[in-house]
Amino acid sequence: MAHSQISMNLPLDNNPTQAATAYGCRALPKLKEELQSEDLLTRQKALMDLCDLMHDPEYVYVAIDIGCLESLKALLKDTNDTVRIKTTEALYIMANHNVGREGFLKHDIILALSFLMNDHQKTCRENLHLVFKHLAQLPSGARGIVNSGLIPPLVWKLQGEEEEIQELLLDTLAACLTEDATEALSSRVVPFLKEKLLSTNHDIRSKATRVLTAVSVPLEGKKQVRQYDVTPNLVHLLKDEVEEVRANAAGALMNALVTTEGKYAALNAEAILPLLQLTSSALSKARLNAVKALTMLAEAPEGRKFLQAYVHVFRALELDSSKAVRQAAEIATKVIEWEP
Protein backbone atom coordinates (compact mmCIF):
# COMPACT_ATOMS: atom_id res chain seq x y z
CA MET A 1 0.00 0.00 0.00
CA ALA A 2 1.37 3.39 -1.01
CA HIS A 3 2.05 6.06 1.65
CA SER A 4 2.36 9.81 1.09
CA GLN A 5 5.23 11.47 2.86
CA ILE A 6 6.25 15.14 2.82
CA SER A 7 10.00 15.68 2.71
CA MET A 8 11.44 17.96 5.38
CA ASN A 9 14.27 19.03 3.05
CA LEU A 10 14.22 22.35 1.19
CA PRO A 11 13.76 22.18 -2.60
CA LEU A 12 16.92 22.19 -4.67
CA ASP A 13 18.35 25.66 -5.46
CA ASN A 14 16.20 27.31 -2.82
CA ASN A 15 17.60 30.62 -1.62
CA PRO A 16 15.98 31.81 1.62
CA THR A 17 16.82 35.43 0.76
CA GLN A 18 15.19 35.16 -2.68
CA ALA A 19 11.44 35.65 -2.86
CA ALA A 20 9.48 34.74 -5.98
CA THR A 21 9.13 37.81 -8.17
CA ALA A 22 5.77 37.81 -9.89
CA TYR A 23 3.64 40.25 -11.86
CA GLY A 24 6.57 42.46 -12.92
CA CYS A 25 5.59 46.11 -12.48
CA ARG A 26 2.74 45.19 -10.16
CA ALA A 27 5.28 43.74 -7.73
CA LEU A 28 7.15 47.03 -7.36
CA PRO A 29 4.80 48.80 -4.88
CA LYS A 30 5.02 45.76 -2.61
CA LEU A 31 8.81 45.69 -2.95
CA LYS A 32 9.00 49.39 -2.08
CA GLU A 33 7.08 48.65 1.12
CA GLU A 34 9.39 45.73 1.94
CA LEU A 35 12.49 47.87 1.38
CA GLN A 36 11.34 49.94 4.34
CA SER A 37 10.69 46.94 6.59
CA GLU A 38 12.37 46.73 9.98
CA ASP A 39 12.96 43.01 9.37
CA LEU A 40 16.44 42.44 7.94
CA LEU A 41 15.54 39.33 5.94
CA THR A 42 12.56 41.12 4.38
CA ARG A 43 14.81 44.01 3.24
CA GLN A 44 17.34 41.57 1.80
CA LYS A 45 14.66 39.62 -0.08
CA ALA A 46 13.19 42.81 -1.51
CA LEU A 47 16.61 43.97 -2.72
CA MET A 48 17.29 40.60 -4.38
CA ASP A 49 14.00 40.88 -6.26
CA LEU A 50 14.58 44.51 -7.17
CA CYS A 51 17.98 43.66 -8.68
CA ASP A 52 16.29 41.07 -10.90
CA LEU A 53 13.64 43.53 -12.10
CA MET A 54 15.96 46.49 -12.74
CA HIS A 55 17.45 44.87 -15.85
CA ASP A 56 14.30 46.04 -17.67
CA PRO A 57 14.18 49.83 -18.31
CA GLU A 58 10.37 49.79 -18.08
CA TYR A 59 10.61 48.53 -14.50
CA VAL A 60 13.32 51.11 -13.76
CA TYR A 61 10.93 53.85 -14.88
CA VAL A 62 8.13 52.53 -12.67
CA ALA A 63 10.46 52.07 -9.68
CA ILE A 64 11.60 55.68 -9.91
CA ASP A 65 8.05 56.90 -10.46
CA ILE A 66 6.72 55.28 -7.27
CA GLY A 67 9.61 56.54 -5.14
CA CYS A 68 11.92 53.54 -4.80
CA LEU A 69 15.01 55.74 -5.08
CA GLU A 70 14.23 57.40 -1.76
CA SER A 71 14.02 53.97 -0.13
CA LEU A 72 17.32 52.96 -1.72
CA LYS A 73 18.99 56.18 -0.51
CA ALA A 74 17.97 55.27 3.02
CA LEU A 75 19.31 51.73 2.63
CA LEU A 76 22.73 53.06 1.64
CA LYS A 77 23.12 53.90 5.35
CA ASP A 78 22.03 50.43 6.53
CA THR A 79 24.37 48.79 9.05
CA ASN A 80 24.05 45.40 7.34
CA ASP A 81 26.76 44.74 4.74
CA THR A 82 24.52 42.63 2.48
CA VAL A 83 21.86 45.33 2.38
CA ARG A 84 24.39 48.00 1.36
CA ILE A 85 25.96 45.72 -1.23
CA LYS A 86 22.63 44.80 -2.82
CA THR A 87 21.47 48.44 -2.69
CA THR A 88 24.53 49.62 -4.60
CA GLU A 89 24.10 46.69 -7.00
CA ALA A 90 20.49 47.70 -7.70
CA LEU A 91 21.61 51.28 -8.37
CA TYR A 92 24.41 50.07 -10.66
CA ILE A 93 21.95 47.98 -12.69
CA MET A 94 19.61 50.98 -12.95
CA ALA A 95 22.52 53.16 -14.07
CA ASN A 96 22.87 51.00 -17.18
CA HIS A 97 19.66 52.59 -18.48
CA ASN A 98 19.27 56.19 -19.54
CA VAL A 99 16.03 56.52 -17.57
CA GLY A 100 17.92 55.41 -14.47
CA ARG A 101 20.75 57.89 -14.94
CA GLU A 102 18.32 60.75 -15.44
CA GLY A 103 16.39 59.67 -12.35
CA PHE A 104 19.58 59.67 -10.29
CA LEU A 105 20.28 63.29 -11.21
CA LYS A 106 16.76 64.35 -10.19
CA HIS A 107 16.89 62.50 -6.87
CA ASP A 108 20.42 63.46 -5.69
CA ILE A 109 21.75 59.91 -5.77
CA ILE A 110 25.30 61.15 -6.42
CA LEU A 111 25.78 62.66 -2.97
CA ALA A 112 23.98 59.79 -1.25
CA LEU A 113 26.37 57.30 -2.86
CA SER A 114 29.46 59.39 -2.12
CA PHE A 115 29.21 58.58 1.59
CA LEU A 116 30.16 54.97 0.74
CA MET A 117 33.48 55.91 -0.89
CA ASN A 118 35.21 54.75 2.31
CA ASP A 119 32.98 51.73 2.95
CA HIS A 120 34.94 48.72 4.22
CA GLN A 121 33.17 46.49 1.70
CA LYS A 122 35.05 46.56 -1.61
CA THR A 123 31.92 45.46 -3.50
CA CYS A 124 30.02 48.53 -2.25
CA ARG A 125 32.80 50.83 -3.42
CA GLU A 126 33.09 49.07 -6.76
CA ASN A 127 29.33 49.30 -7.40
CA LEU A 128 29.21 53.01 -6.53
CA HIS A 129 32.11 53.75 -8.89
CA LEU A 130 30.35 51.78 -11.62
CA VAL A 131 27.36 54.08 -11.08
CA PHE A 132 29.59 57.17 -11.28
CA LYS A 133 31.26 55.85 -14.44
CA HIS A 134 27.90 55.36 -16.17
CA LEU A 135 26.58 58.72 -14.96
CA ALA A 136 29.68 60.51 -16.25
CA GLN A 137 28.94 59.32 -19.80
CA LEU A 138 26.15 61.92 -19.86
CA PRO A 139 27.40 65.53 -19.93
CA SER A 140 24.74 66.35 -17.32
CA GLY A 141 25.96 63.43 -15.20
CA ALA A 142 29.58 64.54 -15.43
CA ARG A 143 28.54 68.06 -14.44
CA GLY A 144 26.50 66.60 -11.58
CA ILE A 145 29.58 64.84 -10.20
CA VAL A 146 31.70 67.98 -10.61
CA ASN A 147 29.07 70.22 -9.02
CA SER A 148 28.73 67.82 -6.08
CA GLY A 149 32.33 68.64 -5.13
CA LEU A 150 33.46 65.03 -5.60
CA ILE A 151 36.43 65.60 -7.91
CA PRO A 152 39.02 66.17 -5.12
CA PRO A 153 38.07 62.97 -3.20
CA LEU A 154 37.95 60.98 -6.45
CA VAL A 155 41.46 62.20 -7.31
CA TRP A 156 42.79 61.32 -3.86
CA LYS A 157 41.21 57.86 -4.08
CA LEU A 158 43.61 57.08 -6.94
CA GLN A 159 46.30 56.66 -4.33
CA GLY A 160 44.97 53.82 -2.20
CA GLU A 161 42.17 52.03 -4.04
CA GLU A 162 42.23 48.53 -5.51
CA GLU A 163 43.38 48.44 -9.15
CA GLU A 164 39.94 47.44 -10.45
CA ILE A 165 38.42 50.48 -8.76
CA GLN A 166 41.28 52.73 -9.91
CA GLU A 167 40.28 51.90 -13.48
CA LEU A 168 36.70 52.99 -12.78
CA LEU A 169 37.94 56.17 -11.10
CA LEU A 170 40.04 57.03 -14.14
CA ASP A 171 37.08 56.45 -16.49
CA THR A 172 34.94 58.78 -14.39
CA LEU A 173 37.64 61.44 -14.14
CA ALA A 174 38.31 61.38 -17.89
CA ALA A 175 34.68 62.27 -18.57
CA CYS A 176 34.28 64.76 -15.70
CA LEU A 177 37.50 66.67 -16.37
CA THR A 178 36.41 67.22 -19.94
CA GLU A 179 33.65 69.34 -18.40
CA ASP A 180 35.81 71.11 -15.81
CA ALA A 181 39.36 70.27 -14.67
CA THR A 182 39.77 73.16 -12.22
CA GLU A 183 39.25 71.26 -8.95
CA ALA A 184 41.33 68.31 -10.15
CA LEU A 185 44.26 70.57 -10.97
CA SER A 186 44.03 72.02 -7.47
CA SER A 187 44.11 68.49 -6.03
CA ARG A 188 47.48 67.35 -7.45
CA VAL A 189 45.89 65.25 -10.17
CA VAL A 190 48.89 65.66 -12.51
CA PRO A 191 51.55 64.14 -10.19
CA PHE A 192 49.11 61.37 -9.27
CA LEU A 193 48.55 60.60 -12.96
CA LYS A 194 52.28 60.72 -13.65
CA GLU A 195 52.66 57.90 -11.14
CA LYS A 196 49.91 55.90 -12.89
CA LEU A 197 51.77 56.18 -16.19
CA LEU A 198 54.36 53.83 -14.67
CA SER A 199 51.79 51.16 -13.74
CA THR A 200 52.38 47.58 -14.87
CA ASN A 201 48.64 47.42 -15.63
CA HIS A 202 48.20 48.54 -19.25
CA ASP A 203 44.55 49.49 -18.67
CA ILE A 204 45.61 51.92 -15.95
CA ARG A 205 48.34 53.37 -18.19
CA SER A 206 45.82 53.80 -21.00
CA LYS A 207 43.15 55.39 -18.81
CA ALA A 208 45.66 57.66 -17.06
CA THR A 209 46.79 59.06 -20.42
CA ARG A 210 43.11 59.68 -21.30
CA VAL A 211 42.68 61.70 -18.12
CA LEU A 212 45.88 63.62 -18.87
CA THR A 213 44.48 64.45 -22.31
CA ALA A 214 41.45 66.06 -20.62
CA VAL A 215 43.56 67.74 -17.91
CA SER A 216 45.94 69.32 -20.43
CA VAL A 217 43.21 71.16 -22.35
CA PRO A 218 43.16 74.23 -20.03
CA LEU A 219 46.28 76.37 -19.84
CA GLU A 220 46.82 75.52 -16.16
CA GLY A 221 46.86 71.83 -17.07
CA LYS A 222 49.50 72.44 -19.76
CA LYS A 223 51.59 74.33 -17.21
CA GLN A 224 51.37 71.52 -14.67
CA VAL A 225 52.33 68.87 -17.24
CA ARG A 226 55.49 70.92 -17.79
CA GLN A 227 55.93 71.72 -14.08
CA TYR A 228 55.83 68.06 -13.02
CA ASP A 229 57.98 66.96 -16.00
CA VAL A 230 55.38 64.54 -17.37
CA THR A 231 56.43 64.94 -21.02
CA PRO A 232 59.30 62.39 -20.92
CA ASN A 233 56.91 59.82 -19.47
CA LEU A 234 54.41 60.45 -22.27
CA VAL A 235 57.15 60.19 -24.90
CA HIS A 236 58.21 56.88 -23.37
CA LEU A 237 54.62 55.61 -23.67
CA LEU A 238 54.66 56.37 -27.40
CA LYS A 239 56.68 53.12 -27.58
CA ASP A 240 54.36 51.15 -25.28
CA GLU A 241 53.51 47.59 -26.27
CA VAL A 242 49.77 48.42 -26.18
CA GLU A 243 48.52 50.46 -29.12
CA GLU A 244 45.73 52.15 -27.16
CA VAL A 245 48.31 53.43 -24.67
CA ARG A 246 50.43 54.84 -27.51
CA ALA A 247 47.40 56.54 -29.06
CA ASN A 248 46.32 58.14 -25.78
CA ALA A 249 49.86 59.26 -24.96
CA ALA A 250 49.98 61.05 -28.32
CA GLY A 251 46.64 62.69 -27.46
CA ALA A 252 47.97 63.99 -24.15
CA LEU A 253 51.11 65.30 -25.87
CA MET A 254 49.01 66.94 -28.58
CA ASN A 255 47.35 69.15 -25.96
CA ALA A 256 50.50 69.78 -23.92
CA LEU A 257 52.47 70.97 -26.99
CA VAL A 258 50.33 74.04 -27.56
CA THR A 259 52.66 76.17 -25.42
CA THR A 260 56.22 77.02 -26.40
CA GLU A 261 57.52 75.39 -23.22
CA GLY A 262 55.59 72.24 -24.05
CA LYS A 263 57.03 72.09 -27.57
CA TYR A 264 60.63 72.33 -26.39
CA ALA A 265 60.04 69.84 -23.57
CA ALA A 266 58.90 67.32 -26.21
CA LEU A 267 61.75 68.16 -28.58
CA ASN A 268 64.24 67.66 -25.75
CA ALA A 269 62.58 64.32 -24.94
CA GLU A 270 63.04 63.30 -28.62
CA ALA A 271 59.34 62.88 -29.33
CA ILE A 272 59.45 63.32 -33.11
CA LEU A 273 60.61 59.86 -34.21
CA PRO A 274 58.19 57.83 -32.06
CA LEU A 275 55.38 60.14 -33.19
CA LEU A 276 56.36 59.57 -36.83
CA GLN A 277 56.23 55.82 -36.23
CA LEU A 278 52.75 56.22 -34.78
CA THR A 279 51.48 57.73 -38.05
CA SER A 280 51.43 54.19 -39.48
CA SER A 281 49.31 52.81 -36.65
CA ALA A 282 46.23 50.73 -37.45
CA LEU A 283 44.24 52.96 -35.09
CA SER A 284 42.95 56.10 -36.81
CA LYS A 285 42.90 57.83 -33.41
CA ALA A 286 46.61 57.15 -33.01
CA ARG A 287 47.42 58.46 -36.49
CA LEU A 288 45.34 61.58 -35.93
CA ASN A 289 46.85 62.36 -32.53
CA ALA A 290 50.37 61.78 -33.85
CA VAL A 291 49.87 64.05 -36.88
CA LYS A 292 48.40 66.82 -34.72
CA ALA A 293 51.23 66.53 -32.19
CA LEU A 294 53.81 66.67 -34.98
CA THR A 295 52.09 69.75 -36.40
CA MET A 296 52.56 71.44 -33.04
CA LEU A 297 56.25 70.53 -33.04
CA ALA A 298 56.61 71.85 -36.59
CA GLU A 299 55.64 75.29 -35.28
CA ALA A 300 59.03 75.40 -33.56
CA PRO A 301 61.88 76.17 -36.01
CA GLU A 302 63.89 73.16 -34.83
CA GLY A 303 60.93 70.84 -35.23
CA ARG A 304 60.02 72.19 -38.67
CA LYS A 305 63.60 71.79 -39.91
CA PHE A 306 63.72 68.15 -38.71
CA LEU A 307 60.33 67.26 -40.20
CA GLN A 308 61.08 68.69 -43.65
CA ALA A 309 62.80 65.40 -44.44
CA TYR A 310 59.53 63.56 -43.69
CA VAL A 311 57.05 65.58 -45.76
CA HIS A 312 56.40 62.45 -47.83
CA VAL A 313 54.92 60.80 -44.74
CA PHE A 314 52.28 63.52 -44.47
CA ARG A 315 51.68 63.52 -48.23
CA ALA A 316 50.84 59.82 -47.99
CA LEU A 317 48.49 60.49 -45.06
CA GLU A 318 46.56 62.96 -47.23
CA LEU A 319 45.13 59.79 -48.82
CA ASP A 320 44.24 58.18 -45.47
CA SER A 321 40.92 56.36 -45.07
CA SER A 322 39.98 58.75 -42.24
CA LYS A 323 38.78 62.19 -43.28
CA ALA A 324 40.05 63.71 -40.02
CA VAL A 325 43.54 62.27 -40.61
CA ARG A 326 43.56 63.54 -44.20
CA GLN A 327 42.66 67.06 -43.09
CA ALA A 328 45.22 67.01 -40.28
CA ALA A 329 47.93 65.79 -42.71
CA GLU A 330 47.18 68.63 -45.13
CA ILE A 331 47.56 71.17 -42.33
CA ALA A 332 50.78 69.51 -41.13
CA THR A 333 52.27 69.67 -44.65
CA LYS A 334 51.52 73.40 -44.91
CA VAL A 335 53.07 74.10 -41.52
CA ILE A 336 56.22 72.08 -42.28
CA GLU A 337 56.70 73.66 -45.73
CA TRP A 338 56.02 77.18 -44.52
CA GLU A 339 58.88 79.56 -45.10
CA PRO A 340 59.30 82.86 -43.21
Side-chain angles (χ1 to χ4, degrees), residues 31 54 84 97 100 127 154 166 186 189 198 230 237:
L31 287 179
M54 292 302 96
R84 293 197 314 282
H97 308 290
N127 285 337
L154 288 174
Q166 286 183 38
S186 300
V189 70
L198 305 175
V230 181
L237 289 181

Side-chain angles (χ1 to χ4, degrees), residues 55-121:
H55 291 281
D56 188 324
E58 180 182 352
Y59 297 161
V60 174
Y61 175 83
V62 175
I64 293 172
D65 191 53
I66 65 174
C68 283
L69 284 181
E70 294 304 315
S71 300
L72 292 173
K73 283 169 66 175
L75 291 176
L76 289 172
K77 302 175 184 177
D78 202 285
T79 57
N80 180 262
D81 289 350
T82 301
V83 169
R84 293 197 314 282
I85 288 171
K86 296 307 291 185
T87 301
T88 55
E89 181 182 335
L91 291 170
Y92 156 54
I93 297 170
M94 295 171 79
N96 282 282
H97 308 290
N98 195 50
V99 64
R101 294 190 289 268
E102 291 178 350
F104 289 0
L105 295 174
K106 292 178 183 177
H107 292 270
D108 297 323
I109 293 295
I110 294 174
L111 273 179
L113 272 171
S114 68
F115 292 106
L116 294 184
M117 286 175 65
N118 295 316
D119 196 281
H120 69 276
Q121 287 290 334

Side-chain angles (χ1 to χ4, degrees), residues 194-311:
K194 180 180 179 181
E195 180 183 328
K196 299 305 170 188
L197 297 181
L198 305 175
S199 173
T200 56
N201 182 327
H202 68 82
D203 285 327
I204 287 181
R205 295 198 304 276
S206 177
K207 294 173 189 290
T209 49
R210 276 186 59 221
V211 181
L212 271 169
T213 301
V215 162
S216 55
V217 170
L219 180 59
E220 178 59 29
K222 295 174 175 50
K223 289 179 179 177
Q224 289 196 22
V225 167
R226 180 74 187 96
Q227 175 186 345
Y228 292 105
D229 198 26
V230 181
T231 302
N233 299 73
L234 290 172
V235 172
H236 176 74
L237 289 181
L238 293 174
K239 308 166 191 174
D240 196 273
E241 60 185 11
V242 179
E243 197 159 25
E244 185 71 20
V245 175
R246 298 197 295 271
N248 290 343
L253 278 172
M254 174 187 70
N255 287 338
L257 300 184
V258 171
T259 65
T260 301
E261 294 82 359
K263 289 178 176 62
Y264 282 98
L267 288 171
N268 291 335
E270 301 181 348
I272 290 182
L273 287 178
L275 282 169
L276 283 168
Q277 291 175 352
L278 203 55
T279 60
S280 61
S281 169
L283 283 180
S284 61
K285 176 175 74 171
R287 299 195 301 276
L288 179 62
N289 289 344
V291 170
K292 287 187 173 182
L294 287 165
T295 304
M296 292 293 176
L297 291 176
E299 292 177 355
E302 296 87 344
R304 183 166 59 252
K305 181 178 180 181
F306 189 97
L307 286 167
Q308 284 172 350
Y310 296 92
V311 171

